[in-house]
Amino acid sequence: MAPATRMAIERKQESDKGNDVIEMDMLPNEIVNMCLAELSARDLLHMEMINHRLRDLVLQNNNLWKDKVKLRWGMQANNSLLEASSVLAGGWKNLYAQKHVSEKRNKPWVVPSDPEIEAILELVRGDSSLDRVGSPISLSPTSSVMSEMAPARGLKRGLTVLLLLDGSSSVTREDFDAMKSFTRKLIDNLRERRPDSAVGLIQFNQSPRTIIPICDISEDIPERVDKMQQLMGSTDIAAPIKTAHELLTEDGNFGGDAVVLLLSDGQTSTSELEASQREARSAAELMGVRLFAFGVGRDVDEMGLNRIAASTHIECEQLLDGTIIPERPGGAYLTLRRMERSML
């Protein structure tokens, strides 16, 4: 073969190699989605700008953004609320965007985004809408049982919420203000969404002080919350839980769903932590109380608060007389405001 011919053939082979490249537009959606799953959230946003097809694939692949959310925030305490929060946000991509903005705005503090706050409020109210999105937290384990008992008792209320606010010295002024802000938001939400509910408020340090006895929600309650001054002092978490149990027992109108919200940094001794677990367990067994512990503070004992909330989980049990006590998953630990661990 002549050298000139050989060179022409080699040039043709080199030029043909470029034709082996597969254009992305030639790939089926399944393959493109597999490629998109390997990209970062920032890269996905860039892919949206290339053409209509990629934009539609990025926007419509809800599982893609679900994976991104859980990869970035799945190990945080509010992970159990992500499913419900995504629905309230209008999709996983919107939830990612709102959590990202919230994280940047509040850094170095970890606080829930707006959809997560809404999910928490629904959780407290016991709304069944969260069940449809597979939230692993039980919303109202006692409400169905209690509602059957309500007509016989002539109940006036379907929901009673008791807030326990940590006013000890380990809580900063900003932390205490965050507790009061959440309390006002919850009360306003209950007035609008659950007008049949009642609220009570206890502030505690080494001893509990009943600020608002259990009562129907009135317009002056948020103002009373605003005027509340922090007590300061040391911390005893068991005492306010016991006081909450006593208030529920004494309340003649109680009989529906009972929810206790403990807002604290959890900084207490081991013996008092164990006593808190016993008090929470007793309230769950005798009154069907759901207890949610909210971490608020610079150095939150998340493990201790989680143990307190988990104490209200009642296993299914059959008594000697054949009576079956249904399982009541109880409450959970959630983050309201805490310092990033890397900053401690």
Side-chain angles (χ1 to χ4, degrees):
M1 182 181 297
T5 304
R6 185 182 297 111
M7 291 178 61
I9 293 174
E10 290 175 354
R11 285 197 298 269
K12 179 67 168 61
Q13 290 174 342
E14 288 295 326
S15 64
D16 287 344
K17 288 181 180 179
N19 296 330
D20 292 336
V21 177
I22 299 176
E23 299 288 342
M24 181 170 287
D25 288 341
M26 299 169 57
L27 296 174
N29 288 347
E30 293 78 3
I31 302 298
V32 176
N33 280 327
M34 292 174 63
C35 296
L36 294 176
E38 301 300 320
L39 300 180
S40 67
R42 181 188 296 271
D43 289 337
L44 288 174
L45 295 178
H46 291 159
M47 295 295 286
E48 283 188 44
M49 303 177 186
I50 295 178
N51 56 42
H52 289 291
R53 183 195 179 203
L54 287 175
R55 174 176 295 179
D56 290 340
L57 287 176
V58 171
L59 292 176
Q60 294 172 8
N61 192 338
N62 211 27
N63 287 330
L64 179 66
W65 287 100
K66 177 179 179 179
D67 292 341
K68 299 304 176 188
V69 169
K70 294 201 170 184
L71 179 64
R72 183 169 173 181
W73 294 287
M75 297 303 293
Q76 293 186 0
N78 294 6
N79 176 40
S80 53
L81 289 177
L82 291 179
E83 294 281 353
S85 302
S86 70
V87 175
L88 294 167
W92 286 98
K93 183 176 184 291
N94 290 342
L95 178 61
Y96 188 100
Q98 293 195 48
K99 284 186 67 63
H100 176 79
V101 170
S102 176
E103 185 178 84
K104 295 295 183 182
R105 182 176 60 240
N106 295 290
K107 200 174 183 65
W109 294 93
V110 177
V111 301
S113 61
D114 289 342
E116 290 172 291
I117 288 291
E118 290 301 317
I120 289 172
L121 295 176
E122 288 200 0
L123 189 64
V124 173
R125 295 197 309 266
D127 288 356
S128 59
S129 60
L130 297 189
D131 287 330
R132 294 196 293 270
V133 298
S135 174
I137 294 182
S138 171
L139 299 176
S140 183
T142 60
S143 59
S144 60
V145 177
M146 291 299 185
S147 61
E148 293 176 1
M149 300 167 61
R153 295 186 181 183
L155 299 176
K156 298 179 180 179
R157 302 189 187 117
L159 174 66
T160 302
V161 179
L162 273 167
L163 295 111
L164 316 181
L165 273 59
D166 187 346
S168 65
S169 299
S170 62
V171 174
T172 67
R173 176 182 297 178
E174 292 77 13
D175 296 332
F176 194 68
D177 287 342
M179 294 183 191
K180 294 201 296 184
S181 176
F182 175 77
T183 299
R184 292 193 303 270
K185 185 172 295 186
L186 172 64
I187 290 172
D188 289 340
N189 188 269
L190 289 175
R191 182 190 294 116
E192 178 184 354
R193 304 292 294 276
R194 287 295 301 269
D196 63 331
S197 59
V199 296
L201 192 152
I202 298 170
Q203 188 186 168
F204 65 94
N205 47 18
Q206 64 270 22
S207 59
R209 179 180 300 179
T210 301
I211 306 299
I212 302 175
I214 295 176
C215 62
D216 295 333
I217 299 177
S218 58
E219 293 184 359
D220 68 327
I221 290 182
E223 182 180 354
R224 294 165 67 181
V225 173
D226 285 335
K227 293 180 178 179
M228 179 174 56
Q229 299 296 313
Q230 187 175 353
L231 294 174
M232 309 301 286
S234 58
T235 310
D236 181 0
I237 298 177
I241 297 176
K242 181 178 181 180
T243 301
H245 187 180
E246 292 171 348
L247 290 176
L248 288 170
T249 303
E250 297 167 359
D251 180 25
N253 290 322
F254 171 74
D257 192 13
V259 181
V260 172
L261 307 183
L262 171 64
L263 283 65
S264 173
D265 60 7
Q267 296 297 328
T268 188
S269 66
T270 301
S271 60
E272 289 178 349
L273 176 61
E274 293 173 347
S276 301
Q277 291 178 258
R278 290 193 296 270
E279 291 295 342
R281 178 77 178 187
S282 175
E285 290 179 337
L286 299 177
M287 306 293 291
V289 168
R290 294 185 291 138
L291 187 147
F292 294 95
F294 292 86
V296 186
R298 180 175 296 273
D299 186 14
V300 177
D301 182 2
E302 295 187 287
M303 185 175 297
L305 291 174
N306 187 56
R307 286 168 58 187
I308 295 173
S311 299
T312 59
H313 179 193
I314 306 298
E315 299 283 353
C316 180
E317 180 182 3
Q318 184 170 0
L319 304 180
L320 294 176
D321 61 0
T323 303
I324 296 178
I325 299 177
E327 180 182 8
R328 289 175 291 185
Y333 168 73
L334 300 165
T335 295
L336 191 61
R337 183 180 190 267
R338 68 164 176 81
M339 182 74 77
E340 289 182 353
R341 294 184 181 90
S342 60
M343 301 297 295
L344 298 176

